[in-house]
Amino acid sequence: MTGDFAAAALGVAALVLLLLALIVLYASTLPVATWRTLILVSLTCAAPGPLAWLLLAPALSVDLRSVMMPSLAALGAVCCFLVTLVSRSSGAPLWRSVSYSAVWGVVVYVPIAVRTFESFGAGAPLGLSPIDHGGALVMSVAVGASMLAVLVVERRSLIRGARKVVPVPVGVTALVLAVLAWLVWLVGAEFAFDDVVALILANGVVSAIFGALGWFIVQLINHGAIKLKSLAGGLISGLIAVTAGAPLFTPVSAAVAGFIAGAVACAFTVRKGSPLGNQLRFLVNTHLIGGSIGVVSLGVLATGSGFLFTGQTFIFEQQFLSVLASAAFAFVVSSLVWWLLGLLGRRSESAEPRILAKN
C-alpha cells in the first residue's frame, strides 16, 4: 500500500510538471502577454478541472480507489488547460474561457474520467469497457474533439494579432520537461510500483521516438524540410499514442502506434501559410487523431488480448466505439456550451450601450 501511495504521489508531481511545461510549450499559440500574466491565466483556466473532480467524483463513483483521486484531480487541471487553448488563441475574454473550462470540467471531464478509471461492470454506459491506462480518452480524444468544437462554432479565422514569442532554449527545455513528465505520469498511472514499470518506460520512449520519425518522414516528403517544431510535434504525438496502452504494448507495437500517430498528425497538420494555423491544427489533430489511434490500436496490438493475439474483434470494437462515443459526446456538449457562452457575451455587449445611453 505504501508503494501505491508513492506511485500516486509521483503521478501527481508528474502532472503538475507536465502542466507547467505545456503552458510554456504552447505559449506561442496565445496572444502576446507577459510570462507572469500568461501563466496566471493558464492556471486560472486549469483550476476548474481539479475543483470539479474533487467535488463531484466522490458522488458519482464508489469504486475509485482513494489513492487515485489526487492524480485524477491533477489530470483534470491538464485537460482544462488544454481545452481552453483554442478559445484563448481566438482572443476570447477570460471570463468566457474560464466559464467554458468550468462547465467542461463538470460535464465532460468528470464523467469520462470516472468511466475510464473506474472498474466497469454491467452498468457501464453503452455497454462499453475500454482499455485506457493513462486517460487518453479524456486527455486526448475528448480534449481534441472539444477544441474542434470551438473552431466549428466560431466559423471564422482564429488567427489574429501578435503571438507570444518563446525563445528556442526555453522551448527546448519545456519540451524535454514535458516528455519526461509524460513518461513519469505513465508510470504513476499504474498506481503501483510493479514489474511493468520498466515496460511502461520503454514503450513510452520508443513510441515518442517513432512518433518523431513518422512526423519527419511525412514532412520531408511533403515539404522537403523539417524544423525544431517537427521534433516537438512528433514526440508529443508518440506520447499521446502510447498513453492508453503503455503497459499493454510491446516495444514493437508501441513503435508502430507512435509512428502511425506521428505520420498522420503531420499529414493533417503541416500546411503552407500561417505558422500559427499549423499550431492550431496541431492542437486539434494531434490530440484527437493521435489519441484515437492510440486507443483503437490496442484492439489490434494489445499483448494477449488484441486481434493479432486472439483473432477476436471484441476488444477492437470496444476501443473503436469508446473513441466514437467520447469524441461525439465531447464535441456536442462543447459546441453547445461555447455557443451559449458566445450568445451570453453578445447580449451583454448589446445591453451595455443601452445602459450607458440611459445614464
Side-chain angles (χ1 to χ4, degrees):
M1 183 62 69
T2 302
D4 294 354
F5 279 103
L10 184 68
V12 172
L15 287 169
V16 171
L17 179 59
L18 178 61
L19 173 61
L20 296 175
L22 291 178
I23 288 174
V24 176
L25 193 62
Y26 290 158
S28 59
T29 65
L30 302 174
V32 170
T34 65
W35 278 111
R36 181 176 180 273
T37 299
L38 187 145
I39 292 172
L40 288 176
V41 170
S42 296
L43 293 177
T44 301
C45 290
L51 291 175
W53 178 260
L54 294 175
L55 290 174
L56 298 179
L60 296 178
S61 173
V62 295
D63 294 329
L64 284 169
R65 297 162 55 197
S66 59
V67 73
M68 303 169 70
M69 300 299 283
S71 294
L72 299 184
L75 183 63
V78 175
C79 291
C80 282
F81 159 71
L82 289 171
V83 85
T84 57
L85 281 173
V86 173
S87 66
R88 292 171 61 197
S89 181
S90 72
L94 178 59
W95 72 265
R96 190 178 179 190
S97 292
V98 174
S99 300
Y100 178 59
S101 173
V103 177
W104 191 91
V106 171
V107 181
V108 178
Y109 175 73
V110 172
I112 295 180
V114 165
R115 296 310 175 187
T116 296
F117 290 94
E118 182 186 40
S119 299
F120 279 81
L126 306 177
L128 299 175
S129 53
I131 302 169
D132 187 359
H133 169 74
L137 281 172
V138 66
M139 187 181 186
S140 299
V141 176
V143 163
S146 298
M147 290 176 176
L148 180 61
V150 175
L151 289 171
V152 171
V153 172
E154 286 294 319
R155 294 183 182 178
R156 63 178 184 271
S157 174
L158 298 178
I159 305 171
R160 55 178 181 271
R163 302 287 129 173
K164 179 70 176 178
V165 176
V166 180
V168 172
V170 174
V172 171
T173 301
L175 175 61
V176 171
L177 291 177
V179 170
L180 292 176
W182 207 308
L183 292 173
V184 176
W185 159 239
L186 294 180
V187 172
E190 183 71 7
F191 296 104
F193 291 121
D194 50 30
D195 54 2
V196 300
V197 168
L199 178 63
I200 290 173
L201 288 173
N203 286 340
V205 171
V206 168
S207 187
I209 292 172
F210 275 82
L213 181 61
W215 189 292
F216 287 167
I217 290 174
V218 171
Q219 188 162 353
L220 280 172
I221 292 173
N222 290 343
H223 303 280
I226 56 175
K227 300 179 180 179
L228 186 58
K229 290 182 179 179
S230 307
L231 176 63
L235 290 175
I236 297 298
S237 298
L239 289 169
I240 288 174
V242 80
T243 296
L248 299 170
F249 286 130
T250 65
V252 173
S253 57
V256 172
F259 183 87
I260 294 174
V264 173
C266 179
F268 280 90
T269 296
V270 181
R271 298 283 189 275
K272 292 181 179 179
S274 168
L276 179 58
N278 286 338
Q279 291 181 55
L280 293 177
R281 282 189 290 270
F282 166 77
L283 292 175
V284 175
N285 295 333
T286 303
H287 285 273
L288 181 56
I289 297 175
S292 299
I293 289 172
V295 174
V296 173
S297 64
L298 279 172
V300 179
L301 301 173
T303 303
S305 58
F307 176 78
L308 290 181
F309 291 87
T310 66
Q312 303 296 317
T313 61
F314 176 76
I315 299 297
F316 175 82
E317 293 168 359
Q318 291 284 301
Q319 299 299 104
F320 180 73
L321 292 175
S322 295
V323 165
L324 286 183
S326 298
F329 175 71
F331 181 84
V332 171
V333 170
S334 299
S335 298
L336 180 61
V337 171
W338 187 251
W339 177 77
L340 288 174
L341 289 172
L343 185 63
L344 178 63
R346 287 192 291 272
R347 286 183 175 178
S348 299
E349 291 172 1
S350 62
E352 185 175 348
R354 291 197 295 270
I355 294 174
L356 292 176
K358 291 180 180 179
N359 293 338

